[in-house]
Amino acid sequence: MAEETIPPVAATETVIQEVVTETPPAPAAEVVVEDKLTPPEAEVAAAVEAVIEEEEEKKEVEEVVVDNKIITQSESFKEESNIVGELPDPQRKALDELKVLIQEALNKHQLATPPPPPPSPPAKVEEVKAVEDEKVAETEVKTEEKVAETDAAAAPVEAEVVAEVVAEVVVEDDGAKTVEAIEESVVVTEAAPEAEAVDESAPPAAEEAAPAAAAAEEPAAIEEEEQVPVTPEEVSIWGIPLLADERSDVILLKFLRARDFKPKEAFTMIQNTVRWRKEFGIDALLEEDLGNELEKVVYMHGFDKEGHPVCYNAFGEFMNKEFYQNTFGDEEKRTKFLKWRIQFLEKSIRKLDFSPTGVNTIVQVNDLNNFPGPGKRGLRQATNQALQLLQDNYPEFVAKQIFINVPWWYLAFNRMISPFLTLRTKSKFVFAGAAKSADTLFKYISHEQVPVQYGGLSRGEGEQEFATEESITEVTVKPASKHTVEIPASVLVWELRVVGWEVNYGAEFVPAAEGSYTVIVSKTRKVSLTDEAIISDTFKIGEAGKVVLTIDNQSSKKKKLLYRSKTKPSNPY
């Protein structure tokens, strides 16, 4: 469906803002969940987490009645196959019908080229009819005038002849002669007007023939214009021709799924998309330099466990007033934002694998931390416009929508819109409050792929010692307990983090030989959430032994420990 397409920067924000604007929360219930909470606020935050967990549990198994049959809905959305041979017969038939419609349009050059404006043809027809009517009216007037003149001229002759005939009858009283005279009179009386009628009516007949000839020429011209071009039109989307190979099938299936496999509706959507891309100038937009200021708001980072590229949307960046004004301050800036967002999406899509077995969708992570309020009118306008464009022209490009750091008021919003969302759309949504955000991301994205700011170990290029493919060990440290990690090596480098921290950390080297002294690598200290995201260290070992890392969790909550290590080649010089 249309709502399943990729949202723009803060696409979800657009919907949320509208709902919040219509039903603002009561001031008494206003709560801000922060790292340090007062007791009442902590209770509200805990309640939010509990309700979110309850909603997620309900999603795991949901029974829906369809045609008097109970169908169990799966928690997570599973992407359908793009291999044509594996499609159900109705879907394969719909794909074939769509191909026929597209081929016909390409043959007639009617896919990318918009039809002529509808008002024009009727106007021409009415104009021709008006001219014809005017000429007919003129012809009738002239004909009436000629008839009147003819009648006027013929009247005296007829009177004279009658008088003559009567005279002959009275004087001579000859029946035969009288008949002869009457016959002559009839011939003369009838012949004269007939000759005049033929002469006078000749010009109107020619005039009437002119509009008829023009009318006959017009259909011929129209038929000539509608002649089918010999060479079919060539149309591509995202660099792939519409009817080329199996990659084309993957694109067509996206439009079909967005329109419930209704070929005619899918064709209309494709036609509108092709024309919009031409009008918007997508090809030229790809080469345009729009700056990189917005890359801290929307950016691609790593892949999920199934190989989907992950796009992060950090809405909180717009809380910076200067940055907000530079992005949405006026119409020109909002237009630039829209173009940048479309350009970013186009470049991301062109990196996807459109083969039937490839990955051709992305995962969206929407960070609602410091979410801008509904009063941000410029942001709302821009995102509304972007959302509409993406819904209409980029169908079925999202495999999963993950919302993290969900604020308390989102619960009302989610329950409000849930009845209006399709099961397919809802199956793509995942929500997590602040306390569960990292764990939720780890469920779909491996720790080494999750950015540092979201609890993972992935940093920017050139900032980390480890490669992405070097795996991480995850350990749960129970409340009020210690956990030690022992790593034997000669020259060692390691990195670790505790999600949420608030634990004590220390590192030491323990020699293997008895009687040797333990070497303190890192003195035991308390690490808070704000101190550092990742602890990275290295130690060169001159004798056999091991490095022991100690995590002391004195809190009442479980902590997730992530770490990895490797032997670093020693430098002889």
Side-chain angles (χ1 to χ4, degrees):
M1 306 300 290
E3 68 268 19
E4 296 165 1
T5 57
I6 302 176
V9 181
T12 309
E13 168 184 355
T14 305
V15 184
I16 295 175
Q17 285 174 341
E18 292 173 352
V19 173
V20 173
T21 304
E22 293 174 2
T23 56
E30 188 172 342
V31 177
V32 178
V33 180
E34 299 177 350
D35 296 333
K36 296 181 180 180
L37 303 174
T38 61
E41 292 171 331
E43 291 178 4
V44 173
V48 169
E49 295 295 340
V51 176
I52 290 179
E53 289 181 7
E54 181 183 346
E55 294 291 335
E56 291 300 313
E57 288 175 0
K58 288 180 180 179
K59 282 177 58 183
E60 291 182 2
V61 179
E62 182 177 2
E63 292 185 344
V64 181
V65 178
V66 179
D67 297 334
N68 296 324
K69 296 181 180 179
I70 297 179
I71 300 177
T72 301
Q73 302 297 324
S74 173
E75 174 192 6
S76 299
F77 168 76
K78 294 182 179 180
E79 294 184 273
E80 301 91 339
S81 173
N82 287 315
I83 300 174
V84 175
E86 297 179 359
L87 295 175
D89 289 340
Q91 295 183 6
R92 191 161 54 244
K93 182 180 178 182
L95 178 60
D96 292 338
E97 291 179 11
L98 177 59
K99 287 182 178 179
V100 171
L101 293 173
I102 292 175
Q103 188 62 66
E104 290 176 353
L106 291 175
N107 291 340
K108 297 179 181 179
H109 285 224
Q110 293 178 349
L111 193 65
T113 306
S120 301
K124 291 181 179 179
V125 172
E126 290 177 3
E127 186 178 345
V128 170
K129 287 183 178 179
V131 172
E132 291 178 357
D133 293 343
E134 185 177 348
K135 289 182 179 180
V136 169
E138 291 177 359
T139 302
E140 291 177 354
V141 171
K142 290 181 179 179
T143 303
E144 290 176 359
E145 291 176 356
K146 296 298 180 182
V147 171
E149 291 176 2
T150 303
D151 293 344
V157 175
E158 186 176 357
E160 189 177 347
V161 171
V162 171
E164 188 179 24
V165 170
V166 171
E168 289 179 1
V169 170
V170 173
V171 175
E172 299 186 17
D173 197 10
D174 187 350
K177 197 170 184 179
T178 302
V179 171
E180 184 178 354
I182 293 172
E183 288 178 355
E184 288 177 359
S185 300
V186 169
V187 170
V188 173
T189 304
E190 293 180 356
E194 184 177 359
E196 286 182 9
V198 171
D199 293 340
E200 294 297 331
S201 61
E207 290 179 4
E208 288 178 3
E217 290 176 3
E218 187 175 351
I222 294 174
E223 186 176 347
E224 206 172 297
E225 289 177 2
E226 292 181 350
Q227 188 176 1
V228 179
V230 177
T231 306
E233 190 177 16
E234 295 183 3
V235 176
S236 297
I237 299 182
W238 304 300
I240 300 174
L242 278 180
L243 296 178
D245 49 34
E246 56 188 10
R247 297 178 305 160
S248 306
D249 292 341
V250 173
I251 290 179
L252 298 185
L253 284 171
K254 288 183 179 293
F255 286 91
L256 280 169
R257 289 183 175 120
R259 290 296 179 263
D260 296 328
F261 280 90
K262 297 176 182 177
K264 291 184 179 179
E265 293 184 13
F267 171 76
T268 301
M269 187 179 186
I270 291 175
Q271 191 176 51
N272 292 337
T273 295
V274 170
R275 292 174 181 175
W276 169 79
R277 293 174 67 83
K278 185 177 181 180
E279 294 171 2
F280 202 80
I282 294 296
D283 293 337
L285 180 63
L286 287 170
E287 305 300 326
E288 196 170 343
D289 182 10
L290 298 174
N292 57 2
E293 297 85 0
L294 291 168
E295 290 181 1
K296 60 183 178 181
V297 179
V298 185
Y299 56 91
M300 305 297 293
H301 189 105
F303 301 85
D304 75 345
K305 294 178 179 179
E306 296 179 355
H308 299 98
V310 182
C311 177
Y312 289 85
N313 300 300
F315 302 152
E317 295 292 339
F318 289 124
M319 291 301 289
N320 183 307
K321 293 182 179 180
E322 182 179 356
F323 180 59
Y324 178 86
Q325 286 299 323
N326 291 337
T327 307
F328 305 109
D330 53 43
E331 186 62 32
E332 182 180 352
K333 293 175 181 177
R334 289 192 291 271
T335 300
K336 181 181 178 182
F337 161 80
L338 179 64
K339 293 175 65 178
W340 182 91
R341 189 64 184 90
I342 297 297
Q343 183 193 67
F344 175 85
L345 180 58
E346 283 285 331
K347 291 181 177 179
S348 301
I349 289 177
R350 288 171 188 257
K351 296 177 183 178
L352 298 175
D353 180 5
F354 283 98
S355 64
T357 58
V359 176
N360 50 72
T361 53
I362 71 171
V363 169
Q364 289 262 104
V365 176
N366 306 283
D367 182 9
L368 302 183
N369 187 37
N370 292 326
F371 184 78
K376 301 289 185 180
R377 183 171 176 271
L379 172 62
R380 187 171 64 253
Q381 288 178 336
T383 50
N384 274 337
Q385 188 177 3
L387 176 60
Q388 190 62 52
L389 288 178
L390 299 184
Q391 286 179 333
D392 294 342
N393 303 289
Y394 297 89
E396 295 295 321
F397 274 101
V398 176
K400 186 74 64 180
Q401 286 275 15
I402 304 175
F403 298 86
I404 59 175
N405 296 314
V406 177
W408 61 269
W409 48 261
Y410 185 81
L411 298 176
F413 160 76
N414 184 40
R415 288 178 174 176
M416 186 181 300
I417 68 170
S418 183
F420 303 99
L421 301 177
T422 64
L423 292 174
R424 180 184 178 87
T425 300
K426 288 191 285 188
S427 67
K428 294 183 178 183
F429 287 179
V430 178
F431 306 100
K436 297 291 184 180
S437 291
D439 288 340
T440 301
L441 290 178
F442 295 153
K443 182 178 179 181
Y444 303 99
I445 309 170
S446 60
H447 308 88
E448 57 269 22
Q449 295 277 357
V450 176
V452 171
Q453 61 269 34
Y454 295 121
L457 293 179
S458 180
R459 290 175 281 185
E461 295 182 5
E463 297 181 12
Q464 58 188 37
E465 186 73 35
F466 292 83
T468 303
E469 58 270 14
E470 293 178 299
S471 61
I472 292 174
T473 301
E474 177 183 339
V475 177
T476 299
V477 183
K478 296 180 180 180
S481 65
K482 288 184 180 182
H483 182 82
T484 58
V485 178
E486 298 182 357
I487 312 171
S490 55
V491 179
L492 190 67
V493 60
W494 69 90
E495 67 179 9
L496 83 162
R497 77 172 300 169
V498 176
V499 179
W501 286 108
E502 303 300 334
V503 297
N504 294 324
Y505 163 77
E508 59 185 10
F509 171 70
V510 180
E514 293 183 7
S516 298
Y517 293 100
T518 298
V519 179
I520 297 176
V521 178
S522 180
K523 188 177 180 179
T524 301
R525 60 189 175 92
K526 184 172 182 179
V527 184
S528 65
L529 181 62
T530 56
D531 287 342
E532 51 191 313
I534 297 177
I535 293 178
S536 299
D537 213 340
T538 183
F539 183 72
K540 184 176 181 179
I541 303 171
E543 57 182 310
K546 59 186 177 182
V547 171
V548 179
L549 310 178
T550 303
I551 304 297
D552 184 7
N553 178 19
Q554 298 179 358
S555 71
S556 59
K557 296 181 179 180
K558 293 186 295 184
K559 297 290 183 178
K560 190 182 296 295
L561 167 64
L562 310 174
Y563 71 91
R564 57 183 167 180
S565 63
K566 65 181 179 178
T567 301
K568 190 175 184 180
S570 59
N571 187 352
Y573 302 102

